Amino acid sequence: MLSSGICLVPRKVQRIHSLICSSSRSFMDLKTLLSSLNDFASLSFAETWDNVGLLVEPSPPHTVNTLFLTNDLTEEVMAEALQKKADLILSYHPPIFRPMKRITWKTWKERLVIQALEKRVGIYSPHTAYDAAPQGVNSWLAKGLGACTSCPIHPSKAANYPTEGTHRVEFSVKHIVDLDKVMSAVNGIAGVSVTSFSARTDDEEHTRLSLNCTQKALLQVVALLSQNRQLYQKTEILSLEKPLLQHTGMGRICTLDESVSLATMIERIKQHLKLSHVRLGLGAGRTLESQIKVVALCAGSGSSVLQGVEADLYLTGEMSHHEVLDAASQGINVILCEHSNTERGFLSDLRDMLNVHLENKVNIILSETDRDPLRVV
C-alpha cells in the first residue's frame, strides 16, 4: 500500500519530462562553443597559409545542439550532416581554402556553402591547429608506433612574448641629472616599460636602462636616442622572440623505447589506421628485417615537414615520387598511407576529448560517410 505522501506520475509524462530536461541541457551558443574550441586547441597554432576557424556562420543568434565531425566535407557528407540535424560541422580540412568570387550552384564547394546557409548550419575548420596541438592529429598518429618518446619536428611559438613588448633597448646614462631627463622622456612614450640597475665599466659608475617596447614605441625610442645621442652610451636593440612550445608544433620525431623490425612496424601502423595495405619505399640497403628506432611522422602531406629529418622511417599520407627517391637514397624507409587515412582515425579520440572539454553540453557525432577518396582495387 502506498503512503498518502507519494504521487504517481504517468510513465509517458516522465519520459517527456526527461526529454525536455535533456534537451534543455544539450546546447551551446555558437560564440560560446567557438571560444571553448579555441581553448581546446588555439587557432594560433595553425600555419599562416591555412584557412582555419569559422568559415560559414548562420545569422545570429545561433544555437548548437549537434556538433558533426568529419575529416572532409563532401556533398555526400553534407547530406548526412543535414539528415542528422547538425547545427555546426567541424571539418578537419577547410572546405573553403581559396577565395570564392561567387556563390552559385555551379561547383560542389559553392553548393556546400549555399546548403549550409540555407539550412543554418555553421562550418568550422581547425586543420593545422589540430596538427600542432599536443593532443592533436600527429600525437594520435604516434600512438600507433608503440611505446616511444616524441617531440615536434618544428615546434610552435607561444602566442605571446615572455615580457611586454616586441623589442628591448638597453643603454647607459652616466650622470644623475641626465637620468632624470631620460626617465621623463621615456615615461612619456606609451608601450614602454622601464627597469634600471647600477653598472660599472672601466671603474666608472653609471646607470643602465632596459626598455621593453612595442613595435610602435620602438620607433619613438630610437628617435629619442638619435636626438640626444650625447647622453647615451653603448646602446643595444634586441628583438624579442616568442618562446618555443615543447609539446606543440608540426610533425613528430619519435624514438621507440625498443627497436623493432620494419615488418613489425608496418603491421603496427596498419592495425592503428585500420588499413589492409600501405605503400612502402625501402631505403637503400634496407630490408623488412631492418631495425627501426627513430620514426619521423607527419599526418597528411608531410614532405615539407619531414625534409632533411634524420630517421629510420618516414610515416605520412603522401609524398611525391621524387621526394620518396630522395629519402630512399639516404637509407630512410618511407610508409605512405594516403592523405586522410593518417588523419581520420583521430576524430574518434577528438569526439571523446570534446565531450569532456564541453562537459557533454552538445551532442557530438562522427560522420559515417566520410572516407578517403582513394582506395586499393
Side-chain angles (χ1 to χ4, degrees), residues 194-264:
V194 185
T195 57
S196 63
F197 52 93
S198 297
R200 176 180 288 273
T201 305
D202 299 328
D203 294 328
E204 201 171 1
E205 289 281 350
H206 59 269
T207 301
R208 191 78 175 160
L209 294 183
S210 178
L211 282 58
N212 281 355
C213 311
T214 63
Q215 184 75 43
K216 181 179 179 180
L218 176 64
L219 300 176
Q220 299 179 62
V221 169
V222 170
L224 176 67
L225 289 172
S226 65
Q227 292 169 11
N228 303 274
R229 192 171 303 170
Q230 71 277 9
L231 298 181
Y232 318 113
Q233 297 179 353
K234 297 183 179 179
T235 299
E236 295 180 300
I237 300 178
L238 307 173
S239 176
L240 301 179
E241 292 287 337
K242 295 178 180 178
L244 298 179
L245 301 175
Q246 186 176 0
H247 303 293
T248 305
M250 293 302 157
R252 294 292 182 272
I253 185 81
C254 308
T255 303
L256 301 179
D257 291 356
E258 297 182 6
S259 300
V260 298
S261 69
L262 176 58
T264 298

Side-chain angles (χ1 to χ4, degrees), residues 57-130:
E57 179 182 12
S59 57
H62 186 64
T63 299
V64 178
N65 293 283
T66 298
L67 175 61
F68 182 89
L69 308 183
T70 184
N71 201 77
D72 292 294
L73 183 56
T74 63
E75 289 190 279
E76 183 181 12
V77 172
M78 174 61 87
E80 179 193 4
L82 296 179
Q83 189 271 326
K84 293 180 177 177
K85 308 297 182 184
D87 302 295
L88 179 66
I89 297 171
L90 188 155
S91 176
Y92 167 74
H93 285 138
I96 303 173
F97 191 76
R98 296 180 178 86
M100 290 182 171
K101 293 185 177 182
R102 57 185 59 82
I103 304 296
T104 70
W105 205 249
K106 187 175 182 180
T107 68
W108 69 277
K109 289 192 174 183
E110 292 174 58
R111 291 194 291 271
L112 290 178
V113 174
I114 292 171
Q115 291 179 80
L117 290 173
E118 287 182 343
K119 301 297 183 180
R120 293 188 54 76
V121 178
I123 300 176
Y124 175 91
S125 176
H127 200 203
T128 52
Y130 278 12

